Amino acid sequence: MFAERRIAAEPPPSGVPTESRILSGADALREAMALCMERDERVFVMGQGVTDPFRVFGTTRGLLETYGPGRVVETPLAENGMTGVAIGAAISGQRPVLIHMRADFALLTMEQLVNNAAKTAWLTQGKLQVPLVVRMFIGRGWGQGPAHTQSLESLFAMIPGLTVVMPATPADAKGQLIAAIESPNPVIFLEHRWLHFTRGLVPAGHYSTPLDGPKVVRPGCDLTIAATSHMVVEALRAADALATAGISAEVVDVAVLRPFNPEPILMSVRRTGRLMVADTGWNTLGMGAEIIAIVTEQAFGALTGPPVRVGLPDLPAPSSPALAGDYYPTALTLFDRAGALLGLPPSRLAVSRNRLAALIAEIPVDVPEAGITSPF
Amino acid sequence: MPMLTDIPSALGLYRAMLRIRLVEETIADRYAQQRMRCPVHLSIGQEAVAAGVSAALASSDQIFSTHRCHAHYLAKGGDLTAMIAEIHGKETGCCGGRGGSMNLVDPDAGVMMSSPTIGSSIPVAVGAALSMQQRGTGGVAVAYFGDGASEEGVLHESLNFAALRRLPVLFVLENNGYSIFTPLDQRQPAQRPLSDLGRAHGIPAETVDGNDAGAVRAAAGRAVGRARRGEGPTLLVCDTYRQSEHCEPAKVFDVGYRTAAEREEWAARCPLTRLRHQLIAEGILTKEAEAALLRSLRTEVEEAFADADAAPFPSPVNAMEHLHVR
């Protein structure tokens, strides 16, 4: 897939293995899980399907065989209760990783996450901690529709005390998941389902990608595109196309939505003077809205024009592929909005735009790979 | 009532209940002074449940409580001075003034959580039991909850999982008859006893007179024994009565939601009075000993209130601390 070529692995910190392989996001996540369980016996995994034949899209493959049902805990269909169980285990010294195959299911768990996970360390002034990771999956596929695909990150990111992470590449997915599991804080880890299929360079062995905020994944000087999750992939595609028209877009992977560190985005906007946000979630009250608010408050003088917000329209996600095409913004959406932001005449962009449009047309709207021909 | 066979234990139960009662009566007496500026939910009339259960626990066992947590906290050994300071919003409170009366914790004493959302702490107790089982500590977790929480779905999720994994957890259903103003018979079918909630999940359930501290202790002891032997969870239904109002400590809402006759009937079954009469009748508690006990407990309570009054308020400068652990 495109991302394989475009997204290079971050160089690992010194002193760790530098060997890298091309892996899928799912395999990168599985490696992270296995490494953490091997290194720390307090780490255990729980969720629906963690021991089933498909092993959560392969991300828990091999764990049951190695660690047994005591540390690979198949759970009843009781999302809220199991979240409380995970919190209790975390408070009592364990390091659970709880998995929901859809973020939509985690709506049932908001009481536990908001009232207990987010507040316990603050409430007890650090006497008790909640070293919990909740992996949950967002993103579209095979007509799953309005209650099976939602990008609910801003619901979690508005809660003080939670850490909210959205990996964009296989290498980051592994490093950020390791960092999340090793964190003493409750981490909501939102995986776009297409990330599981994205292939990219992934360093071998243990490494941790700090959960310290946004990072520039492609330098540029004409505009800043601050993107989350899969929209980083779309933003890099758009930046490639813009480059062929002589426009240099800087792409920032937001990565950590809470606690949010705006500095890398502010620094970028101070260089470029222009901001576009590309959000996997809804526009209204979304992460993109928050980023624009912060940049407007703190770097208003650096802006040469109004910021641009790209996200989902204020509608539930439709099932039909005929409707999904209009619903989800792509690299082409970003390309067009960037051209308008820069005030460039369409004639100057036409060749690059046509080429990008042809590329986009080849990519299915409802599956991450053309070879996928059934629900996944 | 049978003769008291274990006199030191009976005296211990009485002392624990009396201490809780004196603390809560003092809170009620002084609430109108407006220095305790948070909701307080008193356990007056329900002390035998907390005292009886805690008497069956080891100090390393863990409890998870509710908005009505004073008795559970104190009976388990939670620090009294830190509790009173917390209710006063002081820096020396058990949560530094961040939680108030409904969020009492004292991890050193095994008081791990008190949650004001009904049912919220139940699965957390189950998770602690899972952790104890995984680590092989031999510990037991207790989930305290009321009759109201027995209507929450999360209880059933918790019972199912605890039964499935045979977790060392004791579910203590403290049935005080009311959810704020609404009696149990308006909320649950009369033909289904509360203990059936446990049996429906294959969990042994026992119903005890929740105003008989000795009976609660004995039943809790059986349940804790099963949990420690790896035989899994137990549901303990303790029938008791909320003598005070749901929340306002110094008021009586004479609005017809319960009758004077009902209140009087339960006042006559007050767990503290009952045990006191028995201890006196059997010659275990002398007038002198009782006076000395009251003196020492009143001194302790006065000192806790004085400490709370003298303690500083937390500084807003530090309010962000510990939001994220470094």
Side-chain angles (χ1 to χ4, degrees), chain A residues 137-173:
Chain A
F137 308 158
I138 61 168
R140 60 192 184 269
W142 206 257
Q144 298 198 44
H148 245 44
T149 60
Q150 296 170 89
S151 285
L152 299 170
E153 58 271 17
S154 43
L155 289 186
F156 303 104
M158 73 172 289
I159 305 299
L162 294 179
T163 298
V164 180
V165 180
M166 297 186 88
T169 69
D172 278 349

Side-chain angles (χ1 to χ4, degrees), chain A residues 69 81 92 112 116 122 185, chain B residues 98 120 134-135 157 165 319 325:
Chain A
S92 300
Q112 286 296 329
N116 293 338
W122 178 84
N185 296 301
Chain B
R98 293 176 173 190
S120 183
Q134 285 173 326
R135 292 179 293 140
E157 298 182 5
R165 307 283 295 200
V325 181

Side-chain angles (χ1 to χ4, degrees), chain A residues 44 69-70 73 76 78 81-82 84-85 88-89 92 94 111-112 115-116 121-123 125 127-129 161-162 184-185, chain B residues 62 94-96 98-99 105 112-113 117 120 123-124 126-128 131 134-135 154 157 160-161 165 319 321-325:
Chain A
F44 73 99
V73 179
M82 291 307 106
V85 166
S92 300
Q94 299 291 76
E111 196 283 312
Q112 286 296 329
N115 285 337
N116 293 338
W122 178 84
L123 179 74
Q125 300 178 294
K127 287 192 280 258
L128 296 175
Q129 302 176 1
L162 294 179
N185 296 301
Chain B
Q62 298 183 342
C94 59
C95 294
R98 293 176 173 190
V105 294
M112 305 302 281
M113 172 179 280
T117 303
S120 183
V124 183
V126 174
S131 166
Q134 285 173 326
R135 292 179 293 140
V154 76
E157 298 182 5
N160 177 59
F161 187 69
R165 307 283 295 200
E321 281 181 6
H322 306 290
L323 184 60
H324 297 280
V325 181

